[in-house]
Amino acid sequence: MTMEKIIGLIDAPFTPMKQSGDINLEPIPAYAAMLAKNGLKGVFINGSSGEGYMLTTDERKQLAEAWMAAVPAGFKVIVHVGSCCLRESVELAKHAAAIGAWGIGAMAPPFPKIGRVEELVKYCETIAAAAPELPFYFYHIPAFNGCFLPMLDFLKAVDGRIPNFAGIKYTFESLYEYNQCRLYKDGKFDMLHGQDETYLPSLAQGGAQGGICGTTNYNGREQVAIGEAWAAGDLERARELQNFSQEVINVICHFRGNIVGGKRIMKLIGLDLGPNRIPWRNMTDEEEAAMKRELEEIHFFERCNRF
């Protein structure tokens, strides 16, 4: 297969939910239109931001179908199909192909913990083979699953073995390892940067072209602008934008991170996506008011996504 490399930023959306805890498909068309308007190039659904491991197989299929029906032409839909049950992942991969998704991805399961490169390769190989016509991305986020394996060794092991292996969504702190993977065989694989707080350093290393982000749900305009400023040679503006991105991240870290605090920010900018699922501890009204004050202090609402 000839793999298209993603140019620009892909958003990792939240899963809209009703107060009952059921999924809510109704906001998705407005959600998709807002992301496209603010410069995002696609979505990576049912991942960590979307509470994917807390959804049933049927819910994950419903969400994939709803996003496919809602996105504008040319907007990429990548479906996270990872699961602790490999057979479920295969089923979800086949479903993603059947509905016309652009690609699929999977993180290592949180249980059982994968501790060897060969185990991870076999896991990915089985999922990728279920949808051989779609690009497959491995989602490297070891903080969530304890899979602290060397990614360069992983690339060498999958090379030539998984025909539709496209690359890695790299959500880890080692910019050195990220760049070594990017350089492998003159950039053979698509290395999508996955840490919003270090997007500019990945560009500065020379060659990063795309990323998958969580804070782009509400801070997408500024995150996209980092890449635009870098491409234009305006380093000072790119630095200011990256520093602002870190200020936003500092705020959400005070409120249980992007999955909880970030999801509540969506309500503050005009798109109420409901609560998080148990065992996530949802924000109280008092916490929401405190978070709003912190965001106002950094002038977030003058710079956030627009509908």
Side-chain angles (χ1 to χ4, degrees):
M1 292 179 67
T2 300
M3 295 291 178
E4 174 189 350
K5 289 190 176 181
I6 292 173
I7 308 296
L9 296 181
I10 302 291
D11 181 73
F14 304 110
T15 293
M17 293 183 183
K18 302 174 183 178
Q19 288 302 315
S20 63
D22 295 328
I23 62 170
N24 181 12
L25 304 179
E26 190 272 333
I28 290 177
Y31 199 171
M34 181 273 286
L35 293 172
K37 178 180 179 179
N38 288 276
L40 282 303
K41 303 302 182 183
V43 285
F44 183 59
I45 67 168
N46 298 343
S48 51
S49 295
E51 302 173 74
Y53 274 91
M54 303 163 76
L55 304 171
T56 68
T57 300
D58 185 60
E59 287 173 330
R60 292 170 76 167
K61 289 179 179 179
Q62 289 181 55
L63 285 159
E65 291 167 8
W67 277 101
M68 285 299 301
V71 297
F75 204 72
K76 293 177 169 62
V77 176
I78 305 173
V79 183
H80 176 258
V81 299
S83 171
C84 292
C85 175
L86 186 56
R87 292 185 178 186
E88 182 179 75
S89 293
V90 167
E91 180 181 344
L92 289 167
K94 290 179 177 178
H95 177 263
I99 64 174
W102 184 85
I104 57 173
M107 68 175 79
F111 179 85
K113 180 180 175 181
I114 289 180
R116 296 177 177 83
V117 169
E118 175 57 27
E119 294 169 353
L120 182 59
V121 173
K122 188 61 180 176
Y123 174 78
C124 293
E125 183 179 37
T126 305
I127 297 171
E133 67 275 35
L134 299 185
F136 173 85
Y137 285 88
F138 174 60
Y139 179 9
H140 183 50
I141 184 166
F144 276 26
N145 49 37
C147 186
F148 289 92
L149 292 174
M151 285 295 99
L152 185 58
D153 289 349
F154 172 68
L155 286 184
K156 292 175 181 177
V158 299
D159 192 1
R161 180 166 166 180
I162 302 177
N164 55 328
F165 185 86
I168 299 174
K169 178 195 174 186
Y170 190 91
T171 307
F172 188 50
E173 289 78 13
S174 178
L175 287 170
Y176 168 72
E177 182 185 55
Y178 169 81
N179 199 48
Q180 290 297 295
C181 291
R182 188 189 61 77
L183 292 170
Y184 175 70
K185 288 195 175 178
D186 297 321
K188 178 175 181 177
F189 294 112
D190 197 8
M191 291 298 299
L192 299 174
H193 190 69
Q195 280 204 313
D196 305 19
E197 56 269 43
T198 56
Y199 181 41
L200 179 56
S202 77
L203 296 172
Q205 284 182 308
Q209 300 181 79
I212 301 180
C213 306
T215 64
T216 45
N217 284 291
Y218 40 88
N219 195 42
R221 289 197 308 157
E222 301 296 279
Q223 200 74 14
V224 168
I226 294 171
E228 294 173 343
W230 174 258
D234 191 345
L235 181 57
E236 288 307 310
R237 173 156 171 76
R239 284 172 174 162
E240 189 278 328
L241 289 160
Q242 181 68 86
N243 290 337
F244 177 73
S245 172
Q246 292 189 354
E247 286 189 279
V248 174
I249 291 166
N250 289 341
V251 172
I252 63 172
C253 285
H254 297 158
F255 300 95
R256 296 185 285 289
N258 181 58
I259 297 173
V260 175
K263 192 174 188 181
R264 187 64 71 96
I265 290 177
M266 299 303 291
K267 175 186 174 185
L268 296 177
I269 68 171
L271 187 66
D272 191 346
L273 300 179
N276 298 98
R277 277 199 170 162
I278 298 169
W280 288 112
R281 181 163 58 91
N282 281 284
M283 289 178 62
T284 64
D285 291 342
E286 292 76 17
E287 286 176 317
E288 180 185 311
M291 183 172 69
K292 183 179 180 182
R293 287 193 297 271
E294 290 191 27
L295 291 169
E296 287 171 341
E297 288 172 2
I298 63 171
H299 304 288
F300 168 78
F301 294 104
E302 292 106 86
R303 303 176 68 163
C304 65
N305 284 354
R306 298 284 185 264
F307 285 89

